[in-house]
């Protein structure tokens, strides 16, 4: 010891190295904690600022505003939703069809046994009982009393109707559930007599698995159409 | 020996840091993960429903939002479809009409128009509402020209609709933006929209008076 001549003389020779290694250890620990903290902040910030834009579509005719898109990245339709849409599309094609072939019309519009609707005798593309097999008894009775006489008259005058499938638009008019719902359609009908005209219709789809198994139980319970122009 | 232990402890610490980095990175990637599910559009003409370029509400002009809300109100006021359940939903006290109207306006509407709407809907009638392009302000009121087309009979392709024209004067409270409160309480828009709420009800818009 050369105190007070030499202040640099260490009291403990290894003290400096220990102090340096302690300092380094504290630095390494701080850096470690800082990195972990920054990772947490990064994760938190990426999760916290999440935009959920809703896209709104307004229907100028019905005044209906609905959400047509959300940034969920996926669009999902249930099988029941898709089946109802299919029932609606196929039914509308049959309802607004007047063929030049009178026997085809009679076949499509006639009343049948319910068993025939679900039997294998009806092949794909066969329009036999096309109306009856997809609607309720009540609606069929309205069809046969109110609609069919007009269709027969038109058919006898040589008029034919067919929907322009490219113009067919089908959308829900309210909530659609697994038990059915109300749908609205808009389509152009091409007539050889009066040309093309636009129709808007509302269809109520209901479900009865026993009577309509060919469409998972879905059938048209009510149909209301209006000629727009 | 002690130095060797310290050295290995340092290595382990470093490895732990890299493991933490790896997991944070993986979690970060997972938070942004997106899946694409293929789906096929049906070959329908959906042009009337198809949206154009999406624009945030903040970027739309006051006029644009206000006019659409006025049109929505007038259509909601007169529109009829042959679905009585739909009419029942539209006339409820938690309907979009109630959200867009002052209590007196909603009460008057229920007293005057709703009865006719319910009657016609029950008889399977259909009514469309067309609003004139120009919506001008006359004093405190907005002047709206409208045309009502009513089909009194269903499934009759020979029927032409009854056409009625009219003018409605409405006094409104409108402020651009989205409501943060509804009926005095807090309003969770996301939940409201996800539960099928009408988007028109989220705007700060209210009709205070209707004159015809």
């Amino acid at each position: 010891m050369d105190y007070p001549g030499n202040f640099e003389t260490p009291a403990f020779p290894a003290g400096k190295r220990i102090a340096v290694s302690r300092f380094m250890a504290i630095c390494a620990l701080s850096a470690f904690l800082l990195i972990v903290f920054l990772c947490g902040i990064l994760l938190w910030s990426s999760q916290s600022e999440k935009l959920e834009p809703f896209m709104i579509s307004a229907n100028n005719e019905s005044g209906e505003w609905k959400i047509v898109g959300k940034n969920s990245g996926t669009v999902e339709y249930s099988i029941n939703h898709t089946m109802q849409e299919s029932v609606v599309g196929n039914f509308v094609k049959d309802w607004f069809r007047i063929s030049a072939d009178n026997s085809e019309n009679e076949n499509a519009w006639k009343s049948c046994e319910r068993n025939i609707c679900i039997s294998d005798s009806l092949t794909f593309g066969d329009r036999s009982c096309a109306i009856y097999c997809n609607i309720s008894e009540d609606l069929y009775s309205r069809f046969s009393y109110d609609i069919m006489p007009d269709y027969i008259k038109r058919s006898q005058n040589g008029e034919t109707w067919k929907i322009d499938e490219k113009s067919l638009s089908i959308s829900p008019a309210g909530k659609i559930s697994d038990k059915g719902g109300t749908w609205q359609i808009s389509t152009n009908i091409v007539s050889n007599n009066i040309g093309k005209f636009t129709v808007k219709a509302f269809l109520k789809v209901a479900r009865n698995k026993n009577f309509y198994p060919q469409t998972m139980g879905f059938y048209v319970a009510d149909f209301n159409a209006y000629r727009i122009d | 020996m002690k130095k060797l232990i310290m050295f290995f402890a340092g290595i382990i610490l470093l490895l732990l840091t890299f493991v933490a980095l790896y997991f944070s990175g993986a979690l970060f990637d997972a938070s942004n993960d997106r899946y694409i599910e293929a789906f096929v559009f049906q070959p329908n003409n959906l042009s009337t429903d198809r949206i154009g370029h999406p624009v945030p509400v903040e970027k739309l002009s006051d006029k644009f939002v206000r006019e659409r809300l006025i049109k929505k109100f007038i259509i909601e006021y007169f529109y009829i479809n042959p679905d009585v359940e739909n009419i029942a939903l539209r006339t409820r006290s938690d309907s979009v009409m109630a959200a867009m109207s002052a209590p007196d306006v909603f009460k008057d509407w229920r007293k005057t128009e709703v009865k006719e709407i319910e009657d016609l809907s029950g008889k399977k009638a259909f009514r469309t509402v067309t609003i004139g392009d120009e919506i001008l302000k006359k004093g405190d009121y907005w002047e709206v020209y409208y045309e009502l087309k009513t089909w009194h009979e269903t499934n009759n392709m020979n029927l032409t609709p009854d056409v009625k024209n009219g003018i409605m004067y409405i006094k409104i409270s409108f402020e651009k933006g989205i409501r943060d409160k509804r009926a005095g309480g807090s309003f969770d828009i996301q939940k409201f929209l996800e539960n099928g709420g009408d988007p028109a009800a989220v705007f700060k818009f209210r009709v205070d008076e209707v004159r015809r």
Side-chain angles (χ1 to χ4, degrees):
Chain A
M1 285 286 284
D2 192 18
Y3 184 80
N6 184 2
F7 286 99
E8 296 297 320
T9 305
F12 178 51
K16 195 178 175 184
R17 278 186 296 150
I18 290 170
V20 168
S21 59
R22 268 184 195 166
F23 176 73
M24 292 302 287
I26 290 167
C27 284
L29 189 68
S30 305
F32 173 73
L33 291 175
L34 190 69
I35 290 168
V36 172
F37 176 72
L38 285 176
C39 287
I41 289 283
L42 192 68
L43 194 65
W44 176 63
S45 64
S46 73
Q47 290 286 348
S48 63
E49 201 170 309
K50 201 171 175 186
L51 285 171
E52 288 283 351
F54 285 87
M55 282 184 273
I56 300 169
S57 160
N59 183 334
N60 284 335
E61 201 179 272
S62 67
E64 187 187 3
W65 285 31
K66 61 184 174 186
I67 302 293
V68 292
K70 215 187 128 200
N71 73 335
S72 61
T74 57
V75 174
E76 284 180 26
Y77 285 112
S78 70
I79 190 155
N80 289 328
H81 189 285
T82 311
M83 181 51 84
Q84 287 183 59
E85 203 167 316
S86 160
V87 167
V88 168
N90 287 326
F91 175 73
V92 167
K93 274 192 275 181
D94 285 326
W95 183 279
F96 291 118
R97 170 94 173 126
I98 301 176
S99 169
D101 179 359
N102 204 33
S103 62
E104 189 192 324
N105 290 335
E106 282 172 7
N107 241 352
W109 300 337
K110 71 182 177 187
S111 156
C112 308
E113 286 291 323
R114 281 271 164 230
N115 292 337
I116 290 179
C117 299
I118 53 173
S119 70
D120 294 336
S121 61
L122 293 180
T123 51
F124 183 75
D126 184 358
R127 292 186 67 238
S128 296
C129 318
I131 300 289
Y132 183 82
C133 286
N134 288 298
I135 62 179
S136 64
E137 295 289 342
D138 178 49
L139 183 57
Y140 183 76
S141 137
R142 275 171 57 201
F143 174 78
S144 55
Y145 286 108
D146 301 337
I147 317 291
M148 216 153 62
D150 180 52
Y151 279 11
I152 290 169
K153 212 163 138 190
R154 287 176 194 272
S155 171
Q156 284 167 349
N157 291 336
E159 188 172 352
T160 61
W161 277 10
K162 194 179 182 186
I163 73 160
D164 174 7
E165 285 187 35
K166 283 183 185 167
S167 70
L168 178 62
S169 151
I170 304 169
S171 59
K175 203 176 175 188
I176 303 298
S177 72
D178 290 350
K179 289 176 183 169
T182 305
W183 293 80
Q184 56 188 338
I185 66 109
S186 173
T187 188
N188 291 332
I189 296 173
V190 184
S191 160
N192 64 339
N193 266 14
I194 49 175
K196 199 184 262 190
F197 58 96
T198 307
V199 165
K200 191 163 179 75
F202 295 85
L203 298 91
K204 182 153 276 186
V205 174
R207 195 171 196 186
N208 182 330
K209 287 181 187 170
N210 297 328
F211 285 174
Y212 307 90
Q214 74 277 19
T215 52
M216 287 167 56
F218 293 111
Y219 66 98
V220 180
D222 196 10
F223 183 81
N224 297 291
Y226 309 89
R227 183 175 164 181
I228 302 297
D229 61 17
Chain B
M1 186 65 189
K2 201 178 170 186
K3 279 182 184 170
L4 201 65
I5 290 168
M6 285 297 285
F7 173 73
F8 281 118
I11 295 280
I12 288 168
L13 205 64
L14 209 62
L15 282 174
L16 278 173
T17 311
F18 280 118
V19 169
L21 268 172
Y22 175 81
F23 275 109
S24 302
L27 278 170
F28 180 70
D29 283 348
S31 69
N32 279 306
D33 212 355
R34 292 281 182 271
Y35 295 96
I36 294 175
E37 288 184 10
F39 54 91
V40 181
F41 278 112
Q42 55 177 354
N44 282 346
N45 177 9
L46 298 170
S47 59
T48 50
D49 289 333
R50 193 173 295 151
I51 50 166
H53 180 66
V55 184
V57 174
E58 295 77 30
K59 287 191 182 172
L60 297 171
S61 69
D62 280 3
K63 183 173 180 279
F64 185 91
V65 180
R66 187 184 56 235
E67 286 193 353
R68 263 145 194 84
L69 286 164
I70 289 175
K71 283 182 181 179
K72 165 76 179 173
F73 175 81
I74 309 281
I75 294 174
E76 204 61 36
Y77 203 90
F78 293 114
Y79 180 73
I80 299 172
N81 66 13
D83 182 6
V84 284
E85 286 166 24
N86 176 272
I87 303 292
L89 286 175
R90 279 174 51 208
T91 52
R92 277 183 357 187
S93 56
D94 60 348
S95 62
V96 65
M97 190 63 182
M100 295 176 85
S101 326
D104 286 347
V105 173
F106 184 66
K107 214 190 281 176
D108 283 351
W109 176 67
R110 283 186 59 113
K111 251 191 244 170
T112 54
E113 292 296 324
V114 169
K115 199 177 174 319
E116 189 194 5
I117 290 173
E118 284 172 343
D119 282 353
L120 288 173
S121 177
K123 289 173 187 163
K124 311 282 185 194
F126 175 50
R127 182 156 78 189
T128 60
V129 187
T130 312
I131 312 292
D133 290 334
E134 291 268 315
I135 298 176
L136 300 171
K137 196 168 188 188
K138 299 276 171 77
D140 288 343
Y141 296 87
W142 292 89
E143 186 183 59
V144 190
Y145 287 83
Y146 61 84
E147 182 192 70
L148 308 179
K149 277 186 183 170
T150 311
W151 287 259
H152 289 279
E153 209 180 306
T154 177
N155 295 324
N156 182 350
M157 295 298 122
N158 299 317
L159 186 76
T160 47
D162 285 344
V163 181
K164 199 173 143 192
N165 290 293
I167 308 173
M168 187 185 266
Y169 296 91
I170 59 171
K171 195 175 175 182
I172 61 169
S173 308
F174 172 66
E175 204 183 309
K176 204 171 148 189
I178 305 291
R179 283 176 204 234
D180 45 10
K181 282 184 179 177
R182 194 180 182 196
S186 63
F187 183 36
D188 185 341
I189 296 171
Q190 180 133 350
K191 212 171 167 186
F192 173 75
L193 293 176
E194 279 177 350
N195 290 338
D198 194 310
V202 308
F203 293 93
K204 290 179 181 169
F205 175 88
R206 194 181 64 190
V207 175
D208 295 320
E209 199 184 332
V210 172
R211 282 167 53 187
R212 286 162 69 188

